[in-house]
Structures are given as structure tokens and as C-alpha cells.
Amino acid sequence: MPLVKRNIDPRHLCHTALPRGIKNELECVTNISLANIIRQLSSLSKYAEDIFGELFNEAHSFSFRVNSLQERVDRLSVSVTQLDPKEEELSLQDITMRKAFRSSTIQDQQLFDRKSLPIPLQETYDVCEQPPPLNILTPYRDDGKEGLKFYTNPSYFFDLWKEKMLQDTEDKRKEKRKQKVLQEIQKIEQKNLDRPHEPEKVPRAPHDRRREWQKLAQGPELAEDDANLLHKHIEVANGPASHFETRPQTYVDHMDGSYSLSALPFSQMSELLTRAEERVLVRPHEPPPPPPMHGAGDAKPIPTCISSATGLIENRPQSPATGRTPVFVSPTPPPPPPPLPSALSTSSLRASMTSTPPPPVPPPPPPPATTLQAPAVPPPPAPLQIAPGVLHPAPPPIAPPLVQPSPPVARAAPVCETVPVHPLPQGEVQGLPPPPPPPPLPPPGIRPSSPVTVAALAHPPSGLHPTPSTAPGPHVPLMPPSPPSQVVPASEPKRHPSTLPVISDARSVLLEAIRKGIQLRKVEEQREQEAKHERIENDVATILSRRIAVEYSDSEDDSEFDEVDWLE
Amino acid sequence: MAGQEDPVQREIHQDWANQEYIEIITSSIKKIADFLNSFDMSCCSRLATLNEKLTALERRIEYIEARVTKGETLT
């Protein structure tokens, strides 16, 4: 139904009641009609004046715009004639430093607002009855809302839409941030996966080139297979050999990595682990990644734990261990050593992969091991000195036991990581493969007699003791005692804080910085939200543009966009 | 009969004449109102096209100005 904008007032000329006592009624009617005609003419003149006024206002604004445009064109023509193509600067700085072109076009919005109501319609509206004066009750309300808003609220739908848009932008932003974090984790994972090649490739550079040429010669189709085989061969060949070389380096890093793992909140960790798990399970065809051994420069604690998780998870496709996922996914910080080593033990370990589980498993075993070693520093040297001859034959037989998927091996491996740390500073038995000796120690049935030896070498075996394994114990002299094993796990969690100062300051500082960064981001987000809520904007364009920016652009662009909007 | 008819007739005739007069006036008022409406609509449409052209011109001029003028760097 069309809305009548202007009305000629006396609609009916002679629909009025005739006064009584008139002789000539026809004349009366005529006169009344004529009078109404005059009234109609007056409203018509008002009608016309209104129309012409609107048209005039529009044309007037256009004339202003046209004049300004004329001036600009004149100026431009003058400046164009002054342009000299030879003078053009081609410096790169200018291209990047110049202010980006932003058109200042105004978008029409809030078209049907109360303020934009035309005058004749406003007058028609004023003629209507007013709503009941419910605003009188506003001071008596608790929630501070206007009383009239409950009866009739002209801005109701707009407020609804605005809130929905803002909520959507917030949700999208959170999603983007999560995706960003995931992407970062993925990148770091990939970096970690790629890095292990570095220490291996150095001695094998010439060989790789030959291989590459061979691959090229065979063609792209066969090259991929060769790459897979090459990786596998390298892993197999380097496994036992590089195992001992890289371990001392990796142990330090893994200690830091383990540190970071324990420092992170459990929920975050489990979330990351589950995500890594999902990603890993999605791509089952990937060749077994090379031992995710972290380089010395690896400063990201999260990636280390993730890579460890992926390394462990990727073990699963190799081994028929489907039921082990829950075991691994649910590591609780308090009892870290038992669950992780058990998960490790369940997964089948290749010779090449043995090096990976121990480093990746870091979190609880290394810290507890390091804490354990703090008091045991004096004793370890002694037992190591005592049994140098015993340890030497250990290395060769160590390789086979490492291959076996036995809990003691798994347990000993992570715990053994800490052992080399302490002997390293002491400069003793560095050449020995620290991890190897502990793993063979586990033989559950054997009980040591000397508590000293137990303290030194029983750390790993102590951890193994609770989990009886059928692993063979080629090293009979090294026997784990049962009491220390019981004591060790109890003291492991307590030693976590004591090992904090032991770890390099760089790592702790980095961790704190990361934590602060996360906190800072949260505070900034809150501040942004508060600022937004304070500025009650009814700008449809900005709301929509912000939402669209969040949807279709990266999170980085989104933040830039927001700043620009606020500036504008 | 003729006497009775004359005044009534005269009145009726007069009335008819008056009504015709009123009718002419009201129809002319309606014509004016129609003219005003159509004038308003056509003017609005023309002004709208003018507005479009003006905005297009303004955008082009802005772009050309940005291209031609130098020295608008961020620092």
C-alpha cells in the first residue's frame, strides 16, 4: 500500500453537516464547497512549496559539488601540463612509502532513520497519537533501560542486527586466531621434521648429489620412490650410528623441550596433541619421518612437543597399535613419567626411530631425571668410574635392546637423556653412549646391592621397575633396586621446580616471554572490545566492512583494517 | 406552476452552475496536484542521474589527483 506523502487537507468538499435554519440549502452547500476549495488550494500551495523545496535543496548541493569538481579539474589540468615525464622518480622507496590510495566515497546508510523522515511525513506522524508516557518510569527501573523501549522501540531491529554482526566478527576472529596457531604449529612441525636432515646431510652431501642425479636420470616418476627409499636407508643406516652422536646434543634440547611441555597448561597441551594426532592420522602415506631431533637453535618448546607427538603418533601406522592413542593423548602432568613411557613402550620402535622417542618424550622424564641427578651428582661419577669396563661392552648390545618394544627400553631412553647431561659437565664418560647403559639396566628381576650404583644408574631403571618388562638384561652388573625405583617416581614430580634453575636461562626467558605474549594478547583483545563497546557506532558500513574483512581476509589484514577504520 | 418552477428551477440551475464551477476548480486543483507529483518524480530521477554522474566524476578526479600529485608519502 503506498504511503501518502502529502495530502490535500479538506478531502471532501461538502461532506459537512449543514447548519440548520438555512433557507437556500443549495447555496449553502455551494458556499461550503467553495470555502473548502480555498482550503484545498492553500494545502496545495503548501504541497508545491514542499516539493520545490526538496528539489531545490538537492539541486543546490549538486551545484556545490559541480563547482568543486570544476575547480579540481582546473587544478588538475594545470598540474598535468606541468608534468614532466623525465622528472619521474623511480625510487623503490617512493613506491612503498607512498600513502595508499583511499577513495573518500560516502556510502548511503541508515536511509530509513527517524532523522531522514521527510517533513510532510513528520507532520503526518505528529498528528498521530503519542505513545503512553512510559518513560516516566525509567528512573525507577533497575536495569537502566528506558521504559518506553519495552512498549515500542524503533531501533530494535537495527540493534539486533548490529549485535549479531559484532558477535559474528568476534567469532570469526577467534577462529582465525586458532587457525593461525594451528598453522604455526604445522609450520614448526614441518621445520622440525626438516631439521633432522641437517645434521645427517652434512657428511653425506656428495652421496646425495649422486642420488639426485640418478633420480633425475630415472625420471620424475621414479624419483619419488627413490626419495622414500633414500630416507629410509638413511634412517636405518644412521639410526644406530647417529643415535649416540646426536643424542648428547639432542638431550640438552629435549630437556628444554620437555621443560616447555611441562610448563604449558595441560588443556593446551592435550589440544595440541590431539590436533597433531589428527593431522598425522590423516596423512598415513608419509614416509616415516626422520628422527625429529631438534637442532641446537630450536627455540620453540611447543613445536618440540608437537614433533615428539607426531613422531610418536607416526610410529603407530607402523605398528598395529590403535588402542594406544588414548594412552598417549592423555598424559597428565602429575604422573608424567608413567603414561608417556608406557605409550612409548607400546609403540613399536625401529632402530631408526629409537632415537626419536627418547628425545620427543622429554617432558616429565628429563625433568625428573635431572632433578634426580641433582642430589645424585656426587654418586654418579663414582659408579660410572667403578664400572667403566662394564659400560663399554654395553653399547653394542644396547642397539638390539633398543630395537625391542619394551617398556624398560622406552622408559630408560627418556630417562637416560638426563644421564649424559650430568656426565657431560663433569667430563666423564662422555664418549660412552649414556642412553645405552641405562636401558640394559632394567632387568626387573635383578636387585642391586649398592644403593650408590642404584642412585646413579637406577634412575632409568628405577622408572622401569614399576613396569615389569620382559626385556633381556645383558648388563647384569647394573641392577636396579626396587626401593629406589619406588622413591624415584614419588620424588620426580617434586623435583620439577628444582630443575628450573638448572636449565639454561634462554629457554626459561623465552617461555616466560611466550606466556606473557599470550597474556598480553588477551588483554589487548579485552581492551579492544571495551573500546568498541564504548564507541556506540551506528555506522552500518563499518560494521559490515569489518565483518567482511574478518571473513575474507587473513587475521593480519583484519587487524590492520580495524585500525584504519578507527583512524578514519 | 411556472412561478413555482422558476425559483426552484432558477436555484437548481444556479446550483448546477455553481457545481460546475466548483467541479472545474476541483479538477484544476487535481491537475495541479498531478502536475506537481509528476514534476517531482521526474526532477528526482534527473537529479539522481546527475548525482550518479557527479559521484563518478568525483571518483575519477580523486584517482587522477592521486596519480598526478607527488610527495604524499607516509613519513
Side-chain angles (χ1 to χ4, degrees):
Chain A
M1 181 192 112
L3 189 67
V4 176
K5 193 172 177 186
R6 295 177 192 95
N7 211 1
I8 306 283
D9 206 357
R11 279 209 63 199
H12 301 285
L13 285 174
C14 38
H15 282 204
T16 50
L18 282 172
R20 292 198 181 178
I22 291 173
K23 287 180 186 177
N24 198 350
E25 288 182 357
L26 290 171
E27 216 177 284
C28 181
V29 167
T30 312
N31 290 338
I32 285 170
S33 315
L34 287 169
N36 281 336
I37 281 170
I38 293 171
R39 291 193 189 102
Q40 279 189 349
L41 280 170
S42 76
S43 65
L44 185 68
S45 71
K46 195 172 158 220
Y47 182 78
E49 191 258 346
D50 193 41
I51 286 171
F52 288 119
E54 280 181 13
L55 290 172
F56 171 76
N57 286 338
E58 263 194 77
H60 200 56
S61 67
F62 287 174
S63 75
F64 280 142
R65 282 165 70 180
V66 164
N67 284 338
S68 67
L69 267 175
Q70 178 72 43
E71 285 173 21
R72 282 161 83 177
V73 165
D74 290 339
R75 265 183 257 152
L76 264 178
S77 62
V78 166
S79 62
V80 161
T81 51
Q82 285 175 355
L83 264 182
D84 198 0
K86 293 173 190 174
E87 279 179 14
E88 264 197 46
E89 300 166 19
L90 291 169
S91 62
L92 286 169
Q93 277 185 358
D94 270 3
I95 290 165
T96 51
M97 294 287 273
R98 276 207 189 167
K99 187 178 161 187
F101 175 67
R102 283 267 172 151
S103 69
S104 58
T105 49
I106 300 164
Q107 284 175 323
D108 277 347
Q109 55 182 306
Q110 301 269 355
L111 291 170
F112 295 101
D113 199 24
R114 190 40 57 89
K115 299 160 203 168
S116 62
L117 197 66
I119 298 165
L121 284 174
Q122 185 68 40
E123 289 171 3
T124 317
Y125 177 77
D126 291 335
V127 169
C128 301
E129 257 188 53
Q130 296 273 334
L134 291 169
N135 271 340
I136 300 167
L137 301 168
T138 311
Y140 304 107
R141 284 197 71 84
D142 290 332
D143 45 2
K145 291 181 195 169
E146 285 182 30
L148 197 62
K149 294 274 177 187
F150 292 91
Y151 179 78
T152 169
N153 188 6
S155 61
Y156 171 74
F157 293 104
F158 178 72
D159 291 338
L160 208 67
W161 176 85
K162 189 171 84 171
E163 268 186 45
K164 186 177 174 259
M165 284 292 131
L166 290 172
Q167 192 62 41
D168 285 347
T169 49
E170 285 302 315
D171 293 341
K172 293 266 174 184
R173 239 183 243 160
K174 279 173 191 169
E175 273 182 39
K176 295 263 177 190
R177 284 208 178 104
K178 281 179 192 171
Q179 283 175 14
K180 210 179 166 186
V181 167
L182 274 175
Q183 280 172 14
E184 279 175 11
I185 290 161
Q186 279 182 2
K187 279 179 199 168
I188 290 150
E189 257 185 64
Q190 284 173 6
K191 278 182 200 169
N192 288 335
L193 289 169
D194 292 338
R195 268 182 200 178
H197 281 290
E198 290 167 2
E200 292 174 359
K201 273 182 184 172
V202 168
R204 295 196 166 255
H207 190 66
D208 280 344
R209 277 174 205 161
R210 280 186 218 159
R211 284 260 176 167
E212 283 172 12
W213 294 332
Q214 284 170 10
K215 278 184 235 166
L216 286 168
Q218 287 171 13
E221 295 170 355
L222 295 168
E224 286 174 10
D225 297 337
D226 287 340
N228 289 343
L229 288 167
L230 182 71
H231 281 308
K232 284 180 186 171
H233 286 309
I234 285 171
E235 285 166 16
V236 171
N238 292 354
S242 63
H243 187 72
F244 309 133
E245 293 166 2
T246 52
R247 272 211 169 167
Q249 294 171 8
T250 56
Y251 288 142
V252 180
D253 298 321
H254 294 309
M255 263 178 45
D256 300 342
S258 68
Y259 235 94
S260 61
L261 264 180
S262 58
L264 283 172
F266 168 57
S267 58
Q268 213 173 345
M269 275 310 308
S270 62
E271 203 186 18
L272 290 167
L273 286 168
T274 46
R275 291 224 175 114
E277 204 191 318
E278 290 166 8
R279 268 181 277 107
V280 170
L281 291 169
V282 164
R283 36 184 175 100
H285 298 293
E286 271 187 25
M293 295 201 259
H294 311 286
D298 183 16
K300 289 249 179 183
I302 298 166
T304 57
C305 78
I306 291 289
S307 61
S308 70
T310 51
L312 284 160
I313 294 158
E314 275 155 343
N315 276 328
R316 279 183 213 127
Q318 302 161 14
S319 65
T322 53
R324 286 148 201 172
T325 50
V327 176
F328 179 73
V329 172
S330 63
T332 54
L340 280 169
S342 63
L344 267 174
S345 66
T346 51
S347 64
S348 64
L349 299 168
R350 274 190 180 185
S352 60
M353 298 307 295
T354 51
S355 57
T356 67
V361 180
T370 51
T371 54
L372 281 168
Q373 289 185 2
V377 166
L384 287 167
Q385 284 172 358
I386 289 164
V390 176
L391 289 169
H392 275 294
I398 287 154
L402 284 169
V403 178
Q404 290 172 17
S406 57
V409 176
R411 257 252 164 114
V415 188
C416 299
E417 294 168 8
T418 61
V419 175
V421 177
H422 279 274
L424 281 171
Q426 292 167 14
E428 275 188 326
V429 200
Q430 283 183 22
L432 283 173
L441 291 179
I446 303 157
R447 306 268 160 158
S449 55
S450 62
V452 174
T453 53
V454 166
L457 301 158
H459 298 314
S462 62
L464 299 165
H465 207 71
T467 59
S469 60
T470 55
H475 307 280
V476 177
L478 309 170
M479 303 170 196
S482 51
S485 65
Q486 288 169 9
V487 171
V488 165
S491 57
E492 274 175 1
K494 290 177 195 172
R495 281 161 195 164
H496 275 280
S498 64
T499 52
L500 275 167
V502 175
I503 288 186
S504 61
D505 293 334
R507 297 278 175 192
S508 59
V509 163
L510 178 70
L511 258 178
E512 284 172 17
I514 289 166
R515 271 184 241 154
K516 277 178 197 167
I518 293 164
Q519 284 170 5
L520 277 172
R521 259 181 251 155
K522 281 182 192 167
V523 168
E524 279 175 15
E525 278 177 48
Q526 285 173 7
R527 278 184 199 162
E528 276 179 25
Q529 283 179 9
E530 284 164 20
K532 276 178 203 168
H533 287 302
E534 280 171 12
R535 313 179 207 190
I536 300 164
E537 37 168 269
N538 283 338
D539 206 359
V540 171
T542 51
I543 292 172
L544 266 178
S545 61
R546 218 173 290 136
R547 174 146 187 234
I548 288 163
V550 168
E551 275 189 38
Y552 294 113
S553 66
D554 294 337
S555 56
E556 294 171 8
D557 295 339
D558 173 27
S559 58
E560 285 175 17
F561 210 123
D562 277 0
E563 289 169 17
V564 171
D565 281 337
W566 293 129
L567 286 168
E568 286 176 357
Chain B
M1 282 285 237
Q4 271 187 352
E5 285 178 352
D6 277 343
V8 174
Q9 247 186 0
R10 254 180 257 142
E11 270 189 35
I12 290 168
H13 279 306
Q14 191 66 42
D15 186 53
W16 276 106
N18 292 342
Q19 288 295 322
E20 194 187 339
Y21 178 65
I22 285 169
E23 185 60 34
I24 289 166
I25 293 174
T26 48
S27 61
S28 55
I29 285 175
K30 284 176 192 170
K31 279 185 195 170
I32 292 172
D34 283 339
F35 164 75
L36 280 173
N37 284 338
S38 60
F39 181 77
D40 184 31
M41 278 206 295
S42 71
C43 270
C44 272
S45 66
R46 282 171 205 263
L47 284 171
T49 45
L50 250 187
N51 191 16
E52 272 183 54
K53 289 182 186 173
L54 271 176
T55 37
L57 272 176
E58 277 171 353
R59 283 173 67 183
R60 282 165 69 184
I61 282 182
E62 259 187 71
Y63 173 72
I64 294 169
E65 277 174 355
R67 275 293 289 263
V68 166
T69 55
K70 298 175 196 174
E72 280 194 38
T73 54
L74 287 170
T75 53

